[in-house]
Amino acid sequence: MNIIKISTAGSVDDGKSTLIGRLLFDTNSLSKDKIENIESISRQRGLEETDLSLITDGLTAEREQGITIDVAHIYFNTLKRKYIIADTPGHVEYTRNMITGASNSQVFLILIDARKGIIEQTKRHLFIASLIDIKNIVFVINKMDLVGFDEQVYLNILKDIEQLVDKFELSDKKLIHIPVSAKLGDNVVKKSNNIKWYSGPGLLEYLESLEVGPSLNNNLRFNVQYVIRPHSDEFHDYRGYSGKITSGSIKLGDEIKVLSSGQKSKVKTINKHKDNFLSAVAGQSVTIELEDEIDISRGDILVKVEDGVQGERSINSTICWLDKEALIPQKKYLLQYGSSIIPVKVSEVKSQLDFETLKFETNPDIVNVNSINEVNLKSASPIFLDRYKDNNSNGYFILVDEGSNNTVAVGFKS
């Protein structure tokens, strides 16, 4: 049974938690105890109906405030497939958490309150979806019950979405719009009798039919996370390199090179624990042994010899600034990708996205939290990142403040 990874996005009170609760409830994914618990809490709060958002709002702070403030991963399955949902926060100050939750997802659910239509957070979510290259985007027009299941309201929102989509690079994305009422269950798991003018699939029906294959890329990127040297009598000369294949594949006999030094060798063994393999593919963590003793350290990236990737000391990137303290140009930050950590400076802030016009404005006065900016980064050491559009597994990074140790930005190489 294959697994599909989903991320939710929406502003506060758009109904993300209720939608997920409805999915779990109507697919019979909840235990009897869990249902009794949320029914009891709902009664204590004086609610006439069971509050399904309580199913996912697990943190005490969330329950007290009625909002989702952290990324919660929810698991459930149907007869056709398994699902992992990253329930990400809607508040603008938690954009960081939203990017984190969305970064590994195959499907992006953008919730829109039918009463409010497109708002700034919708634009922000869609831009981030385009930035991190999620192929499947579902616009969930929620709370249709609160607008009398009015088709014209839905059509007006669709028109606004179409205008918004035209402003982003989404031509290669699969888009769909579904009118739902998460609270009443219309078009979530069960088809709605209240929205008969809608002929498309319900949300679960669509997810069940969606074909999402693994993100394959032919270019090998093997991040060395640990060098194994037992120094035992049995393995006196053994030197293995453990790490994760972030993209591509590797097999016995492949000629590889180390990006930082350019040294070359051939793959001698591939193993994990006591199991030996002839090959391994993206997503697998393995240990490889090479035919030659060459200098490889944690943070090095192994690629195939025919790969022409070059290290660069100056890269252009798009970053989302996450820290409450504004970016300080020329200050040294640590750029981290895979196991590599490299000191860099933001040499230039070229432009900043205006969420009203959806255009990048040049020479911004300040880079504040949750702003999206085009910048240039410079380093004394070569940076071996791919363009994110070419290889999203090796095209993103984070920036860390050396002093506070905070992750201050997430970035994507242009």
Short mmCIF file of all heavy atoms in Angstrom, two decimals, residues 6-8 70-73 86-89 94-105 108 128 132 134 320 322 396 398 407 409-410 412:
data_model
loop_
_atom_site.label_atom_id
_atom_site.label_comp_id
_atom_site.label_asym_id
_atom_site.label_seq_id
_atom_site.Cartn_x
_atom_site.Cartn_y
_atom_site.Cartn_z
N ILE A 6 0.69 14.68 2.83
CA ILE A 6 -0.15 15.85 2.59
C ILE A 6 0.20 16.93 3.60
O ILE A 6 0.51 16.63 4.76
CB ILE A 6 -1.64 15.47 2.75
CG1 ILE A 6 -2.01 14.36 1.76
CG2 ILE A 6 -2.54 16.68 2.57
CD1 ILE A 6 -3.37 13.75 2.05
N SER A 7 0.15 18.17 3.15
CA SER A 7 0.32 19.29 4.07
C SER A 7 -0.88 20.21 3.96
O SER A 7 -1.38 20.47 2.87
CB SER A 7 1.60 20.06 3.73
OG SER A 7 1.76 21.14 4.62
N THR A 8 -1.34 20.70 5.11
CA THR A 8 -2.46 21.63 5.10
C THR A 8 -1.95 23.05 5.31
O THR A 8 -0.96 23.27 6.00
CB THR A 8 -3.46 21.31 6.21
OG1 THR A 8 -2.80 21.42 7.48
CG2 THR A 8 -4.04 19.93 6.04
N ASP A 70 1.83 24.32 16.11
CA ASP A 70 2.98 23.52 15.76
C ASP A 70 2.59 22.57 14.64
O ASP A 70 1.42 22.43 14.33
CB ASP A 70 3.46 22.73 16.98
CG ASP A 70 4.92 22.34 16.86
OD1 ASP A 70 5.47 22.52 15.75
OD2 ASP A 70 5.49 21.86 17.84
N VAL A 71 3.59 21.93 14.04
CA VAL A 71 3.30 20.97 12.99
C VAL A 71 2.97 19.64 13.63
O VAL A 71 3.80 19.05 14.32
CB VAL A 71 4.51 20.80 12.05
CG1 VAL A 71 4.19 19.77 10.98
CG2 VAL A 71 4.87 22.13 11.41
N ALA A 72 1.76 19.19 13.44
CA ALA A 72 1.35 17.89 13.97
C ALA A 72 1.20 16.93 12.80
O ALA A 72 0.61 17.27 11.78
CB ALA A 72 0.02 18.03 14.71
N HIS A 73 1.78 15.75 12.94
CA HIS A 73 1.67 14.76 11.88
C HIS A 73 0.60 13.74 12.26
O HIS A 73 0.64 13.15 13.34
CB HIS A 73 3.02 14.07 11.64
CG HIS A 73 4.00 14.96 10.94
ND1 HIS A 73 4.83 15.81 11.62
CD2 HIS A 73 4.26 15.16 9.62
CE1 HIS A 73 5.57 16.49 10.75
NE2 HIS A 73 5.25 16.11 9.55
N ALA A 86 0.56 16.61 7.47
CA ALA A 86 1.24 17.62 8.30
C ALA A 86 0.28 18.77 8.50
O ALA A 86 0.00 19.53 7.57
CB ALA A 86 2.53 18.09 7.62
N ASP A 87 -0.26 18.86 9.70
CA ASP A 87 -1.21 19.93 10.03
C ASP A 87 -0.40 21.12 10.49
O ASP A 87 0.11 21.15 11.61
CB ASP A 87 -2.16 19.45 11.13
CG ASP A 87 -3.18 20.51 11.51
OD1 ASP A 87 -3.42 21.41 10.68
OD2 ASP A 87 -3.75 20.44 12.60
N THR A 88 -0.26 22.11 9.63
CA THR A 88 0.64 23.23 9.92
C THR A 88 -0.13 24.47 10.36
O THR A 88 -1.30 24.63 10.03
CB THR A 88 1.48 23.59 8.68
OG1 THR A 88 0.60 24.03 7.64
CG2 THR A 88 2.26 22.39 8.20
N PRO A 89 0.51 25.34 11.12
CA PRO A 89 -0.19 26.49 11.69
C PRO A 89 -0.57 27.53 10.65
O PRO A 89 0.09 27.68 9.63
CB PRO A 89 0.82 27.07 12.69
CG PRO A 89 2.14 26.60 12.19
CD PRO A 89 1.92 25.28 11.54
N TYR A 94 3.88 31.85 12.14
CA TYR A 94 4.32 30.46 12.12
C TYR A 94 4.58 29.97 10.69
O TYR A 94 4.48 28.78 10.40
CB TYR A 94 3.29 29.57 12.81
CG TYR A 94 3.06 29.92 14.25
CD1 TYR A 94 1.81 30.31 14.70
CD2 TYR A 94 4.12 29.90 15.16
CE1 TYR A 94 1.60 30.67 16.02
CE2 TYR A 94 3.92 30.26 16.49
CZ TYR A 94 2.65 30.64 16.91
OH TYR A 94 2.46 30.99 18.22
N THR A 95 4.91 30.91 9.81
CA THR A 95 5.23 30.54 8.44
C THR A 95 6.36 29.52 8.39
O THR A 95 6.38 28.62 7.57
CB THR A 95 5.61 31.79 7.63
OG1 THR A 95 4.51 32.70 7.66
CG2 THR A 95 5.92 31.44 6.19
N ARG A 96 7.30 29.70 9.30
CA ARG A 96 8.42 28.76 9.38
C ARG A 96 7.93 27.32 9.54
O ARG A 96 8.39 26.41 8.84
CB ARG A 96 9.29 29.16 10.58
CG ARG A 96 10.26 28.11 11.07
CD ARG A 96 10.95 28.64 12.30
NE ARG A 96 11.87 27.66 12.84
CZ ARG A 96 12.75 27.94 13.79
NH1 ARG A 96 12.86 29.16 14.26
NH2 ARG A 96 13.55 27.01 14.25
N ASN A 97 6.99 27.12 10.47
CA ASN A 97 6.46 25.77 10.70
C ASN A 97 5.74 25.26 9.46
O ASN A 97 5.77 24.07 9.14
CB ASN A 97 5.50 25.78 11.88
CG ASN A 97 6.10 26.43 13.11
OD1 ASN A 97 6.56 27.55 13.05
ND2 ASN A 97 6.09 25.73 14.22
N MET A 98 5.06 26.19 8.76
CA MET A 98 4.32 25.78 7.58
C MET A 98 5.27 25.29 6.48
O MET A 98 5.03 24.28 5.82
CB MET A 98 3.48 26.94 7.05
CG MET A 98 2.44 26.50 6.04
SD MET A 98 1.69 27.91 5.26
CE MET A 98 3.05 28.51 4.31
N ILE A 99 6.36 26.01 6.27
CA ILE A 99 7.34 25.59 5.26
C ILE A 99 7.92 24.24 5.65
O ILE A 99 8.09 23.35 4.81
CB ILE A 99 8.45 26.65 5.12
CG1 ILE A 99 7.86 27.94 4.57
CG2 ILE A 99 9.56 26.13 4.22
CD1 ILE A 99 8.86 29.07 4.48
N THR A 100 8.22 24.08 6.94
CA THR A 100 8.78 22.80 7.41
C THR A 100 7.82 21.66 7.10
O THR A 100 8.22 20.61 6.59
CB THR A 100 9.03 22.86 8.93
OG1 THR A 100 9.92 23.93 9.19
CG2 THR A 100 9.63 21.55 9.42
N GLY A 101 6.54 21.87 7.40
CA GLY A 101 5.57 20.81 7.18
C GLY A 101 5.35 20.51 5.72
O GLY A 101 5.13 19.36 5.32
N ALA A 102 5.43 21.57 4.89
CA ALA A 102 5.13 21.40 3.47
C ALA A 102 6.32 20.84 2.68
O ALA A 102 6.14 20.30 1.59
CB ALA A 102 4.71 22.73 2.86
N SER A 103 7.52 20.98 3.24
CA SER A 103 8.71 20.68 2.45
C SER A 103 8.80 19.23 2.01
O SER A 103 9.42 18.93 0.99
CB SER A 103 9.96 21.06 3.26
OG SER A 103 10.00 20.32 4.46
N ASN A 104 8.18 18.32 2.74
CA ASN A 104 8.26 16.91 2.36
C ASN A 104 6.93 16.36 1.85
O ASN A 104 6.75 15.16 1.76
CB ASN A 104 8.71 16.06 3.57
CG ASN A 104 10.15 16.33 3.94
OD1 ASN A 104 11.02 16.41 3.07
ND2 ASN A 104 10.41 16.52 5.22
N SER A 105 6.02 17.26 1.50
CA SER A 105 4.68 16.81 1.11
C SER A 105 4.55 16.67 -0.40
O SER A 105 5.23 17.33 -1.17
CB SER A 105 3.64 17.80 1.63
OG SER A 105 3.68 17.86 3.03
N PHE A 108 -0.56 19.62 -1.42
CA PHE A 108 -0.72 20.82 -0.58
C PHE A 108 -2.19 21.20 -0.56
O PHE A 108 -2.77 21.52 -1.61
CB PHE A 108 0.12 21.94 -1.18
CG PHE A 108 0.50 23.03 -0.23
CD1 PHE A 108 0.84 22.77 1.08
CD2 PHE A 108 0.55 24.35 -0.65
CE1 PHE A 108 1.21 23.78 1.96
CE2 PHE A 108 0.92 25.37 0.21
CZ PHE A 108 1.25 25.08 1.52
N ILE A 128 4.50 29.99 -1.46
CA ILE A 128 5.39 28.99 -0.86
C ILE A 128 5.23 27.65 -1.57
O ILE A 128 6.21 26.94 -1.82
CB ILE A 128 5.11 28.87 0.65
CG1 ILE A 128 5.60 30.13 1.36
CG2 ILE A 128 5.77 27.63 1.24
CD1 ILE A 128 5.21 30.23 2.81
N ILE A 132 8.47 25.81 -3.23
CA ILE A 132 9.01 24.51 -2.88
C ILE A 132 8.52 23.42 -3.84
O ILE A 132 8.73 22.24 -3.61
CB ILE A 132 8.69 24.12 -1.42
CG1 ILE A 132 7.18 24.11 -1.18
CG2 ILE A 132 9.33 25.07 -0.46
CD1 ILE A 132 6.82 23.79 0.26
N ILE A 134 5.68 22.01 -4.97
CA ILE A 134 4.72 20.92 -4.74
C ILE A 134 3.86 20.76 -5.98
O ILE A 134 3.28 21.74 -6.48
CB ILE A 134 3.85 21.23 -3.50
CG1 ILE A 134 4.73 21.27 -2.26
CG2 ILE A 134 2.76 20.17 -3.34
CD1 ILE A 134 3.96 21.57 -0.99
N CYS A 320 13.15 32.77 2.88
CA CYS A 320 12.08 33.24 3.75
C CYS A 320 12.72 33.50 5.11
O CYS A 320 13.28 32.58 5.73
CB CYS A 320 10.98 32.18 3.87
SG CYS A 320 9.63 32.70 4.97
N LEU A 322 12.96 33.97 8.93
CA LEU A 322 12.15 33.36 9.98
C LEU A 322 12.37 33.95 11.37
O LEU A 322 11.63 33.63 12.30
CB LEU A 322 12.43 31.86 10.03
CG LEU A 322 12.33 31.09 8.72
CD1 LEU A 322 12.79 29.66 8.91
CD2 LEU A 322 10.89 31.12 8.22
N TYR A 396 17.98 23.22 -1.39
CA TYR A 396 17.52 24.08 -0.32
C TYR A 396 18.51 24.06 0.85
O TYR A 396 19.34 23.15 0.96
CB TYR A 396 16.12 23.68 0.17
CG TYR A 396 16.06 22.35 0.87
CD1 TYR A 396 16.19 22.26 2.25
CD2 TYR A 396 15.88 21.18 0.15
CE1 TYR A 396 16.13 21.04 2.90
CE2 TYR A 396 15.82 19.95 0.78
CZ TYR A 396 15.95 19.88 2.16
OH TYR A 396 15.89 18.67 2.80
N ILE A 398 19.28 25.99 5.10
CA ILE A 398 18.85 26.89 6.17
C ILE A 398 20.01 27.79 6.54
O ILE A 398 21.18 27.44 6.30
CB ILE A 398 18.36 26.12 7.43
CG1 ILE A 398 19.47 25.23 7.99
CG2 ILE A 398 17.11 25.31 7.12
CD1 ILE A 398 19.13 24.60 9.35
N THR A 407 17.61 29.12 13.82
CA THR A 407 17.47 29.01 12.38
C THR A 407 16.75 30.27 11.91
O THR A 407 15.58 30.50 12.24
CB THR A 407 16.64 27.77 12.01
OG1 THR A 407 17.34 26.60 12.46
CG2 THR A 407 16.43 27.68 10.50
N ALA A 409 16.58 31.51 8.61
CA ALA A 409 15.99 31.55 7.26
C ALA A 409 16.02 30.17 6.63
O ALA A 409 16.86 29.33 6.97
CB ALA A 409 16.76 32.53 6.37
N VAL A 410 15.08 29.94 5.76
CA VAL A 410 15.14 28.77 4.89
C VAL A 410 15.26 29.32 3.47
O VAL A 410 14.60 30.32 3.13
CB VAL A 410 13.90 27.88 5.06
CG1 VAL A 410 12.62 28.65 4.78
CG2 VAL A 410 13.97 26.66 4.14
N PHE A 412 16.25 28.72 -0.97
CA PHE A 412 16.20 27.86 -2.14
C PHE A 412 17.09 28.48 -3.22
O PHE A 412 16.88 29.64 -3.60
CB PHE A 412 14.75 27.74 -2.65
CG PHE A 412 13.78 27.32 -1.57
CD1 PHE A 412 13.19 28.26 -0.74
CD2 PHE A 412 13.49 25.98 -1.38
CE1 PHE A 412 12.31 27.89 0.26
CE2 PHE A 412 12.61 25.59 -0.38
CZ PHE A 412 12.01 26.54 0.44
#
